[in-house]
Amino acid sequence: MIPFFVLLTEIKTLIGKDFRLEFKQKYALHGILLYLVSTIFITYLAFDNIIDRDTWNSLFWITLLFVAVNGISKSFIQENPARHLYYYTVASPQAALLSKIIYNFFMMTLLSVLSFIFFFLLMGNPVIHIQLFLLTLISGSFSLSSVLTLVAAIASRAGHNFSLMAILSFPIILPLLMLLMKLSRMALNSVSWTDAGNLLLVLMTINMSVIIVAYLLFPYLWKD
Amino acid sequence: MLKRDYWKFLTCALILYAIIAGFLVELPETMIGQTMRNLFFHVGMWFGMFAMLVTSFIYSLRYLGKFDEQEDIIAVESANVGLMFGVLGILTGMLWARFTWGSFWVKDPKLNGVAVGMFIYLAYMVLRGSVEDIRKRAKIGAAYNIFAFILWIVFVLLLPRLSGDSIHPGSDGSTVLPKHLEPSLQLVFYPAMAGWILLGFWILQLKIRIRKMTNDKPS
């Protein structure tokens, strides 16, 4: 068990490293942004004029799921393996995992807000309870980043990254995705907070358990 | 031999009983008529599947504790037997669904939960197949198995509460829970369930022995 303050410092340093890396190799960020915009554009062309509230909701979350799987799958393969050897010696696995989850959370929040903006521009805005919707987006980013980060670690250890990432993550992200779609459907259909509070609580409980399990499992995936 | 394997005789007896009594027992008047006998077979597949997947989960946990290859073999083989039970459960269920609901597949939390379980364990097999190194494969597989099983349980528990009513019997509020069965049916139902679960462990034991004998690496 490493001391809490050491863990915090390590996490802070690693997140800083991730941000600097992202700004230095801009192509990864540009790639995922382009992926997002073109996916939404395909949706827009394919579903011409038949977008009702429920379709909008489903399309939005499916798009976000694909963007998340794509964006997060690079978490542990962005840097070359030799550099990972260096990280083994200076950081703890817990810090490595938590920093990736937090970094991916920031990235997913940005991407989900951007998706919302593009959906808004191309397919209109059916959201009537904007606060609840934004809250759902933020908790959705948190859910997606916490589950997918561990799956990205598993997939990267196994080598074959992208297709494996998709088949491993789709079935296990489902409980969270269903909750998120349910919450966002509420934000699309009424302005009341009733029911939403309970669901958010359930979502957060599942999220915290996911992070605890991931925290316990990750050290086994960190080194060969 | 008799002392160690008494449970196999018990398994044979229970399954024979399930088949014989299952086809002979007097049924109450229901809308589904004689198809109710599927209860003793279809539900048994789910009990068997669940027992196998829990075993797989426990042995994956144990593997991460001790890194003993035996534990990993048990984990992967029980997942395999679980998948087999799952497929049989889906097939027996489809026949029943066709009769009672008119189509082979209906959108229902119970059915979707099982379908997702199948996806998870098939993905687990693909994941294992994609790693060459034995120790690495066992470690990665165990980590995924634990993570996925926990989320699957969440999914199965949560889904019926999210999507409203289930038409499938056995959920809360349904009148066809096993404890509401006629006493004469319960007398067949519970032994049958025990029989299928024991049969699962028997198959598991055989599969583990085959693997050890052929000295095959777990994949």
Side-chain angles (χ1 to χ4, degrees):
Chain A
M1 209 53 208
I2 47 169
F4 187 62
F5 286 111
V6 178
L7 187 68
L8 276 189
T9 324
E10 284 182 1
I11 291 175
K12 219 178 74 192
T13 316
L14 286 171
I15 295 177
K17 182 267 296 175
D18 276 339
F19 272 107
R20 277 198 298 281
L21 196 69
E22 196 73 84
F23 282 114
K24 212 172 148 202
Q25 328 178 310
K26 287 204 184 63
Y27 74 93
L29 189 64
H30 291 170
I32 194 71
L33 286 175
L34 192 57
Y35 183 88
L36 183 148
V37 177
S38 40
T39 312
I40 296 175
F41 199 71
I42 288 175
T43 322
Y44 161 67
L45 288 180
F47 281 79
D48 206 11
N49 291 331
I50 52 159
I51 303 277
D52 55 27
R53 280 170 198 281
D54 281 344
T55 320
W56 191 95
N57 190 36
S58 316
L59 285 174
F60 181 79
W61 286 102
I62 292 172
T63 310
L64 210 53
L65 173 67
F66 276 84
V67 168
V69 168
N70 245 309
I72 295 178
S73 68
K74 70 170 172 46
S75 292
F76 295 94
I77 48 163
Q78 200 177 15
E79 296 168 73
N80 71 40
R83 204 177 304 164
H84 275 289
L85 272 179
Y86 170 62
Y87 295 137
Y88 297 152
T89 60
V90 292
S92 64
Q94 285 84 1
L97 174 80
L98 293 177
S99 69
K100 279 292 178 196
I101 291 181
I102 295 169
Y103 173 75
N104 284 333
F105 168 62
F106 284 126
M107 195 179 72
M108 277 314 300
T109 313
L110 173 75
L111 291 174
S112 59
V113 171
L114 280 175
S115 300
F116 180 44
I117 293 172
F118 277 103
F119 262 75
F120 171 64
L121 291 174
L122 291 172
M123 284 171 274
N125 176 20
V127 179
I128 45 182
H129 194 345
I130 191 79
Q131 292 95 329
L132 177 59
F133 190 76
L134 288 180
L135 203 59
T136 311
L137 277 189
I138 292 172
S139 27
S141 308
F142 190 55
S143 308
L144 289 166
S145 61
S146 49
V147 173
L148 294 179
T149 302
L150 189 78
V151 178
I154 293 174
S156 77
R157 305 300 293 133
H160 317 261
N161 210 267
F162 187 72
S163 62
L164 207 51
M165 176 84 189
I167 60 165
L168 293 179
S169 59
F170 285 171
I172 64 175
I173 195 82
L174 263 168
L176 291 163
L177 199 69
M178 303 281 292
L179 270 174
L180 289 167
M181 286 169 102
K182 177 116 177 160
L183 268 170
S184 116
R185 200 173 301 130
M186 282 178 182
L188 261 59
N189 285 312
S190 80
V191 285
S192 79
W193 280 101
T194 34
D195 298 345
N198 268 336
L199 276 186
L200 275 171
L201 205 67
V202 174
L203 188 65
M204 280 301 132
T205 317
I206 300 176
N207 257 334
M208 289 325 291
S209 349
V210 163
I211 291 198
I212 291 169
V213 177
Y215 184 91
L216 295 174
L217 286 177
F218 187 71
Y220 297 103
L221 299 166
W222 175 232
K223 274 186 204 176
D224 273 322
Chain B
M1 179 253 185
L2 196 67
K3 220 171 171 180
R4 210 186 49 198
D5 288 338
Y6 66 94
W7 63 279
K8 290 177 184 164
F9 292 101
L10 184 67
T11 309
C12 291
L14 285 173
I15 290 197
L16 269 176
Y17 174 67
I19 292 171
I20 295 169
F23 279 109
L24 292 180
V25 70
E26 194 87 21
L27 290 176
E29 280 295 312
T30 51
M31 278 162 60
I32 54 175
Q34 293 293 321
T35 64
M36 199 177 183
R37 298 190 191 280
N38 202 356
L39 181 75
F40 309 120
F41 305 97
H42 167 68
V43 184
M45 297 303 119
W46 297 134
F47 274 72
M49 174 184 173
F50 199 73
M52 286 301 115
L53 297 186
V54 171
T55 311
S56 181
F57 173 68
I58 292 171
Y59 277 90
S60 282
L61 279 176
R62 288 176 58 146
Y63 179 79
L64 288 187
K66 293 198 290 195
F67 298 112
D68 179 0
E69 205 192 320
Q70 299 304 320
E71 320 262 336
D72 184 53
I73 292 178
I74 301 177
V76 64
E77 287 302 346
S78 48
N80 266 326
V81 181
L83 273 173
M84 182 203 79
F85 270 116
V87 170
L88 290 176
I90 285 180
L91 290 177
T92 50
M94 278 168 109
L95 278 177
W96 209 0
R98 175 84 178 133
F99 182 82
T100 34
W101 303 319
S103 65
F104 288 114
W105 194 268
V106 290
K107 198 170 179 180
D108 183 86
K110 279 248 158 63
L111 279 76
N112 292 339
V114 159
V116 168
M118 297 275 106
F119 290 139
I120 288 177
Y121 286 91
L122 288 172
Y124 169 69
M125 296 302 162
V126 173
L127 172 67
R128 294 184 64 98
S130 73
V131 186
E132 289 290 322
D133 183 74
I134 303 172
R135 276 180 70 85
K136 197 171 158 189
R137 164 165 60 201
K139 232 161 51 166
I140 297 173
Y144 182 70
N145 194 354
I146 294 166
F147 197 55
F149 181 78
I150 293 172
L151 278 164
W152 183 58
I153 294 294
V154 170
F155 182 70
V156 170
L157 291 179
L158 195 70
L159 199 61
R161 283 157 190 78
L162 283 183
S163 45
D165 302 326
S166 169
I167 54 173
H168 190 291
S171 5
D172 302 333
S174 161
T175 49
V176 215
L177 280 173
K179 59 173 182 254
H180 296 136
L181 279 178
E182 308 261 318
S184 64
L185 294 190
Q186 280 189 20
L187 225 58
V188 185
F189 182 77
Y190 290 112
M193 296 308 108
W196 293 119
I197 291 176
L198 284 176
L199 183 69
F201 283 106
W202 193 353
I203 298 174
L204 175 60
Q205 192 192 43
L206 292 177
K207 282 187 78 100
I208 293 166
R209 279 186 192 159
I210 292 172
R211 173 150 279 179
K212 279 181 190 164
M213 239 160 29
T214 50
N215 205 11
D216 193 7
K217 294 164 194 72
S219 67

